[in-house]
Amino acid sequence: VCIHRVRSCSSIRFIKSKYVCVFDKSALKFSHQQRLFRTSAVSCGQIVQFKLSDIGEGITEVTVKEWYVKEGDSVSQFDSICEVQSDKASVTITSRYDGIIRKLHYSIDDIAFVGKPLVDIEIDASKGVASEEDVVETPPMSHEEHTHQEIKGHKTLATPAVRRLAMENNIKLSEVVGTGKDNRILKEDILNYLAKQTGAILPPSPKAEIVPPQRRAEAVPAAPKDKARKIPVPVSRPIAFAGKDKTEPVTGFQKAMVKTMSAALKIPHFGYSDEVDLTQLVQLREELKPLAEMRGVKLSFMPFFMKAASLGLLQYPILNSSLDENCQNVTYKASHNIGVAMDTGQGLIVPNVKNVQVCSVFDIAVELNRLQSLGSAGQLGTSDLTGGTFTLSNIGTIGGTYAKPVILPPEVAIGALGKIQVLPRFNSKGEVFKAQIMNVSWSADHRIIDGATMARFSNLWKSYLENPASMLLDLK
Amino acid sequence: MVLQSVKNCLWMSCVLRTPKAYFWSTASGGLIIQSVSNDVYQNLAVEDWIHDHMDLEKQQVLFLWRNSPAVVIGRHQNPWQECNLRLLRQKNIKLARRRSGGGTVYHDLGNINLTFFTSRKKYERMENLKLVVKALKALRPQLDVRVTDRYDILLDRQYKISGTAAKLGRTNAYHHCTLLCNADKCVLSSVLKSPSKGLKSNATPSVPALVKNLFEEDPSLTSEMLLDAIAKEYAVQHQIDHHITLINPTDETLLPGISDKTKELQTWEWVYGKTPKFSISTCLNMVYKDSVLDVKVNMDVKHGRIEVCNIDLPEQWLPPGLYSELVKSLTGSKFCPNETTTLVTTLLRLCPQDDELHSRWSLLCENMIRLM
């Protein structure tokens, strides 16, 4: 049934529709609205006032708590429109029609009345009212609350695992032909459907011929049906991709990153990399780990790296300094507050261990444990995150070898540690042995640090780690 | 009490080859299930799943569950207004927002939760509560328990032992309620006391009530006994077998999509972001170098994010550039201590390395973060 309506702007009166519509009359009202006159003959939709239906328990009024739609949004039947609350009950109101929201009758926190209009929906004239036979099944999982897996009318048979597979791939089960018993859709049917969509290579199915679903006329793929060939030839076809770009504002952790990195840009970086043979350190840690555990502390490699760095900084204090804004003065920091880059769920944070120069390896391990548990719980305090003078980033725990770390102002140096790999190396006798090799990549502020200083520091740090016993000589 | 484990169910269903169908559509008009998990998010997700996916026209469901310590706020409530968030974080007590309305409750293993699932048409809270009272009286006839017209259950006419909330959808509805068996009342009262001052909001407020544990009335009662008694009464009233089927909320085969639901309930956007718009208007009393500074702070928070932020500092206390940077950073960011800490410590990196400035900055920021 089609309704034409011509609206005039000059008069408030409207022209009644010529055609009688087959709607539930009680839900229908012609709205007295003033609209702009259109010269072109546009067939507009019917505006339907969707009333707030009975909540039950004799409730007559509710409070509108949240709108899921705004004016101009298009909605489908069963989409959630708003959330209302009445006496400890939260009610999700869903749309009865497909159409476009034209008016919200209430604002948040207003009292809404049962039986009175809630929203005005413009129903698409060509479609008419959504029929109850609509097949509403397995839409992709949305972030809203209203996911529906009801199937009305058409019953498509499929196990939960198959349904999920279809859901994950945005496939409508109604478009897949089932080859199982009673036309049940099997996993293979989904995979075949996918293959045809993307032109993916699938090994030829050992089962009977797969009937291609009725789709728009396209070139018949030579691939899966041709059993003579071992490897089917991929046929390129236009890939239907329904994804959309998503824009969101930069906030929170990302905002912090943007600020830090933009400031870091001003620092002229130079890089210096090397490899460190950690064979002896690995062994030492294995021996010390149970001792630390007995004291209730998890011992990783970081405390060793940090202590060695601190010993190195004692010899090369310029790496633990700060350059002022005008590059007039260099401040040599007395404390070695060594920052440790941490990857949390939300992003990068760099808490620091204070005064590593007076801490033992065990002390550092204890403090690291504390920072790590606070970091993962999102409970680090401001003092933990400020005052850093030098930073180490153990990206190797995730992966990688060489890196190009960015200095965190107001510091002047940073080191990125790659993963420990077992590699063949030559010893002093010329024999090949199994070595535990880790790569380190330093970055430093070239305004006040030169390559030679960085290299010497790195060599010293490396020597402490390659021969951990030498640390004993210089421990303070 | 007969407990039939899910494993048996599924083994049998493997033979029949339709696990979900067998499990969910029993011939009878009712089903009693109990969660094996004590994770509040997983259990809330099961409620969501049943509400979204089950056909409750011919069959009603009773879901029994208990949680390890958690505070659960209603759909339209404000966590800052309802509980002591700092204390929750310190004690590692989870915070969850449920989808039903109503007020804030504290859950621990001494509190049991009952969810009555019905079709929308058969939604009837009073009947459910009367069932609970009947079950309690059958177990211990001397208990003075009754249902009020606020849908609470009172013990000895003055102590609240049960709170109610409900959720109605298009075709399904559920009514859930708590039952205080042996919860930690100390923790309960301390976490449900919010320290925030100057908070103005239209969020649903909780109505504080005097509470008592059933255990205090009768030390022979345990949570298990209560669960069983209620299940028995439900079975009688729905004319079904007194079977409690155990259900694992992490079973994706039985409950496809449940892990997504569980994850969503834990996101910041759901727990905090769904807070109705509110404003904070308060005064920070900052002690700085032998003097006390009164700093007025006004903030508007929408969707859990700071929309507007005004801090009334004495002139030149902070360099104006830095002050405007602070306000700019805070605007649009989450009203969350973690995020604010990250932002303010980052900003500190970018300003001159002046000890005086740093200590003022830290003082101000720490006071601001304490509001969150």
Side-chain angles (χ1 to χ4, degrees):
Chain A
V1 175
C2 195
I3 298 167
H4 282 280
R5 212 164 92 175
V6 176
R7 305 174 211 152
S8 85
C9 68
S10 53
S11 70
I12 300 168
R13 281 171 299 154
F14 56 90
I15 301 163
K16 275 193 191 159
S17 70
K18 287 191 179 178
Y19 305 91
V20 175
C21 41
V22 189
F23 292 122
D24 176 12
K25 289 249 170 74
S26 59
L28 203 62
K29 273 190 165 59
F30 293 108
S31 46
H32 302 248
Q33 276 172 11
Q34 213 166 359
R35 295 289 176 113
L36 289 172
F37 184 72
R38 285 206 239 230
T39 49
S40 57
V42 177
S43 108
C44 306
Q46 172 76 37
I47 302 260
V48 166
Q49 287 198 321
F50 176 43
K51 290 187 191 166
L52 181 59
S53 52
D54 186 29
I55 307 284
E57 293 184 334
I59 292 167
T60 52
E61 49 186 60
V62 296
T63 313
V64 177
K65 280 299 190 179
E66 189 176 337
W67 282 109
Y68 294 127
V69 295
K70 51 186 190 300
E71 291 173 10
D73 281 353
S74 59
V75 287
S76 312
Q77 190 188 25
F78 307 143
D79 278 355
S80 297
I81 291 197
C82 64
E83 196 77 20
V84 301
Q85 184 170 248
S86 151
D87 186 31
K88 308 187 199 182
S90 188
V91 190
T92 307
I93 307 291
T94 54
S95 174
R96 212 189 306 164
Y97 311 107
D98 286 347
I100 301 172
I101 303 286
R102 283 296 171 216
K103 184 171 178 196
L104 305 180
H105 285 261
Y106 300 100
S107 316
I108 305 262
D109 291 329
D110 280 352
I111 310 278
F113 298 93
V114 171
K116 295 265 158 46
L118 187 67
V119 288
D120 287 351
I121 301 181
E122 181 184 313
I123 299 175
D124 189 354
S126 53
K127 279 198 201 152
V129 178
S131 69
E132 287 292 299
E133 272 78 51
D134 227 0
V135 180
V136 177
E137 28 90 52
T138 59
M141 271 305 194
S142 67
H143 292 294
E144 301 295 309
E145 305 165 0
H146 52 283
T147 48
H148 293 279
Q149 287 207 337
E150 296 145 336
I151 298 172
K152 296 213 181 269
H154 254 354
K155 267 217 187 295
T156 40
L157 291 171
T159 63
V162 170
R163 278 189 205 286
R164 185 147 172 266
L165 189 59
M167 211 159 35
E168 279 168 1
N169 288 286
N170 283 359
I171 294 173
K172 274 196 158 182
L173 284 177
S174 57
E175 284 181 8
V176 181
V177 172
T179 59
K181 187 185 163 203
D182 296 337
N183 289 324
R184 186 182 294 266
I185 297 173
L186 306 173
K187 188 175 167 190
E188 290 79 10
D189 300 332
I190 303 279
L191 291 175
N192 277 307
Y193 180 92
L194 268 177
K196 283 169 176 46
Q197 282 240 285
T198 61
I201 301 170
L202 279 187
S205 167
K207 288 173 16 181
E209 193 89 344
I210 293 154
V211 178
Q214 293 93 314
R215 313 221 54 210
R216 25 172 220 260
E218 285 172 28
V220 175
K225 286 192 195 168
D226 190 0
K227 294 207 176 120
R229 277 201 242 200
K230 281 261 147 70
I231 299 161
V233 172
V235 178
S236 80
R237 60 181 64 237
I239 295 171
F241 179 61
K244 275 198 285 225
D245 289 352
K246 192 169 95 158
T247 307
E248 23 178 66
V250 174
T251 54
F253 277 72
Q254 280 183 327
K255 214 170 176 177
M257 268 285 246
V258 169
K259 287 196 195 292
T260 318
M261 296 308 154
S262 303
L265 257 186
K266 298 189 192 116
I267 305 174
H269 285 54
F270 78 91
Y272 176 89
S273 306
D274 203 353
E275 72 169 41
V276 187
D277 184 349
L278 295 181
T279 315
Q280 287 191 29
L281 184 65
V282 168
Q283 199 180 344
L284 178 66
R285 179 179 161 253
E286 277 310 302
E287 289 167 16
L288 294 176
K289 231 169 70 168
L291 281 174
E293 257 170 50
M294 281 197 318
R295 297 189 200 172
V297 165
K298 209 173 129 201
L299 184 67
S300 63
F301 285 107
M302 272 313 265
F304 296 100
F305 297 153
M306 288 164 75
K307 189 61 188 170
S310 173
L311 291 175
L313 291 173
L314 287 172
Q315 305 302 320
Y316 300 97
I318 192 152
L319 289 161
N320 197 54
S321 65
S322 190
L323 189 60
D324 71 7
E325 264 177 40
N326 311 318
C327 306
Q328 297 278 330
N329 296 299
V330 175
T331 310
Y332 293 83
K333 303 278 180 170
S335 301
H336 298 171
N337 298 337
I338 301 189
V340 180
M342 263 182 211
D343 174 45
T344 66
Q346 298 115 319
L348 170 72
I349 45 163
V350 191
N352 58 83
V353 175
K354 302 277 192 288
N355 293 305
V356 176
Q357 76 278 7
V358 296
C359 290
S360 64
V361 171
F362 182 74
D363 290 335
I364 301 170
V366 169
E367 185 58 10
L368 261 187
N369 275 191
R370 182 187 77 88
L371 291 172
Q372 270 153 355
S373 53
L374 283 179
S376 44
Q379 289 177 23
L380 284 166
T382 45
S383 58
D384 295 326
L385 292 168
T386 51
T389 59
F390 182 87
T391 301
L392 286 177
S393 170
N394 195 358
I395 192 73
T397 50
I398 300 173
T401 49
Y402 292 102
K404 208 172 153 221
V406 177
I407 301 166
L408 300 167
E411 298 166 22
V412 294
I414 182 170
L417 312 169
K419 63 178 186 277
I420 301 176
Q421 302 173 83
V422 178
L423 295 169
R425 288 288 178 269
F426 287 103
N427 64 14
S428 50
K429 295 191 209 129
E431 297 159 338
V432 175
F433 73 100
K434 230 166 78 164
Q436 307 266 11
I437 303 288
M438 180 187 77
N439 300 308
V440 59
S441 307
W442 304 103
S443 290
D445 185 338
H446 219 334
R447 295 173 294 183
I448 52 164
I449 299 170
D450 55 44
T453 309
M454 193 70 240
R456 292 197 185 98
F457 167 84
S458 180
N459 287 344
L460 182 56
W461 181 79
K462 175 173 155 155
S463 71
Y464 283 134
L465 294 172
E466 290 188 335
N467 184 10
S470 65
M471 277 170 75
L472 277 171
L473 273 180
D474 297 331
L475 276 175
K476 290 200 197 292
Chain B
M1 176 174 81
V2 177
L3 285 172
Q4 184 182 357
S5 76
V6 167
K7 271 213 182 97
N8 287 339
C9 245
L10 283 183
W11 175 81
M12 281 173 75
S13 60
C14 278
V15 171
L16 297 171
R17 251 191 284 164
T18 46
K20 187 177 161 204
Y22 175 80
F23 183 83
W24 292 118
S25 38
T26 53
S28 58
L31 180 64
I32 306 174
I33 54 179
Q34 183 170 341
S35 174
V36 301
S37 163
N38 293 126
D39 181 290
V40 62
Y41 306 112
Q42 288 179 0
N43 290 329
L44 287 172
V46 171
E47 280 191 330
D48 285 350
W49 194 94
I50 297 176
H51 181 71
D52 288 346
H53 299 319
M54 269 190 85
D55 180 354
L56 297 165
E57 278 297 320
K58 304 208 176 68
Q59 178 185 60
Q60 298 191 350
V61 179
L62 173 65
F63 177 41
L64 309 166
W65 42 297
R66 287 195 290 161
N67 297 320
S68 50
V71 168
V72 183
I73 59 175
R75 175 70 175 79
H76 309 289
Q77 291 201 296
N78 182 325
W80 290 277
Q81 197 178 34
E82 296 297 330
C83 55
N84 188 334
L85 289 173
R86 209 144 182 239
L87 194 59
L88 258 79
R89 288 178 200 124
Q90 272 170 19
K91 284 184 179 278
N92 228 354
I93 295 175
K94 297 187 189 162
L95 177 67
R97 179 187 297 269
R98 58 179 191 265
R99 292 189 195 270
S100 57
T104 302
V105 279
Y106 170 73
H107 288 186
D108 66 18
L109 290 172
N111 169 73
I112 62 178
N113 299 297
L114 316 159
T115 312
F116 298 87
F117 290 93
T118 60
S119 66
R120 171 89 182 244
K121 295 193 210 94
K122 296 225 179 88
Y123 166 69
E124 179 50 79
R125 294 184 280 184
M126 225 17 126
E127 289 304 308
N128 299 333
L129 293 171
K130 286 193 185 142
L131 189 156
V132 175
V133 165
K134 191 159 176 218
L136 290 176
K137 285 207 142 88
L139 192 61
R140 293 285 184 275
Q142 77 278 16
L143 280 176
D144 178 4
V145 283
R146 60 187 65 206
V147 188
T148 69
D149 45 17
R150 268 200 83 237
Y151 303 105
D152 291 336
I153 299 181
L154 290 184
L155 176 66
D156 298 337
R157 290 168 214 219
Q158 46 173 313
Y159 299 107
K160 183 170 166 179
I161 57 167
S162 166
T164 266
K167 172 97 192 78
L168 287 89
R170 194 174 56 87
T171 51
N172 290 344
Y174 64 81
H175 158 221
H176 54 200
C177 57
T178 54
L179 194 59
L180 279 175
C181 176
N182 193 5
D184 189 333
K185 285 202 319 200
C186 260
V187 178
L188 191 153
S189 52
S190 60
V191 297
L192 293 183
K193 203 181 298 176
S194 166
S196 56
K197 295 170 280 194
L199 207 158
K200 269 202 220 106
S201 120
N202 281 331
T204 316
S206 290
V207 177
L210 231 69
V211 295
K212 194 173 181 186
N213 283 308
L214 281 168
F215 177 82
E216 292 173 65
E217 190 74 7
D218 182 344
S220 67
L221 285 172
T222 65
S223 303
E224 287 79 13
M225 288 168 74
L226 293 173
L227 283 171
D228 190 47
I230 293 164
K232 201 160 146 192
E233 185 60 40
Y234 187 87
V236 162
Q237 289 200 14
H238 287 79
Q239 294 154 339
I240 56 174
D241 282 337
H242 181 192
H243 276 191
I244 301 179
T245 312
L246 294 179
I247 185 168
N248 183 347
T250 57
D251 188 343
E252 194 73 26
T253 334
L254 197 63
L255 310 158
I258 190 91
S259 64
D260 282 344
K261 286 194 189 291
T262 312
K263 270 190 218 122
E264 201 200 326
L265 286 164
Q266 293 175 66
T267 60
W268 192 93
E269 279 68 29
W270 174 256
V271 179
Y272 296 96
K274 282 292 184 186
T275 308
K277 185 168 175 179
F278 68 98
S279 67
I280 290 198
S281 189
T282 186
C283 197
L284 304 171
N285 303 110
M286 308 199 309
V287 178
Y288 184 69
K289 282 192 180 164
D290 306 328
S291 64
V292 179
L293 286 166
D294 283 326
V295 179
K296 286 207 192 74
V297 175
N298 284 300
M299 284 195 279
D300 282 348
V301 181
K302 189 174 172 189
H303 300 314
R305 285 176 187 271
I306 302 170
E307 246 190 356
V308 171
C309 176
N310 277 313
I311 311 169
D312 203 3
L313 284 169
E315 254 193 72
Q316 299 299 323
W317 198 76
L318 278 183
L322 191 57
Y323 171 77
S324 63
E325 265 302 318
L326 175 64
V327 171
K328 216 167 65 168
S329 294
L330 287 176
T331 311
S333 77
K334 292 180 187 168
F335 190 62
C336 156
N338 192 24
E339 188 150 307
T340 308
T341 307
T342 315
L343 279 171
V344 303
T345 50
T346 306
L347 284 177
L348 205 57
R349 280 187 187 280
L350 312 174
C351 60
Q353 302 299 293
D354 174 353
D355 282 339
E356 168 89 17
L357 177 62
H358 277 218
S359 57
R360 289 187 184 191
W361 179 260
S362 297
L363 181 65
L364 174 64
C365 293
E366 261 153 40
N367 274 280
M368 292 289 289
I369 289 165
R370 205 162 291 144
L371 294 173
M372 307 178 189

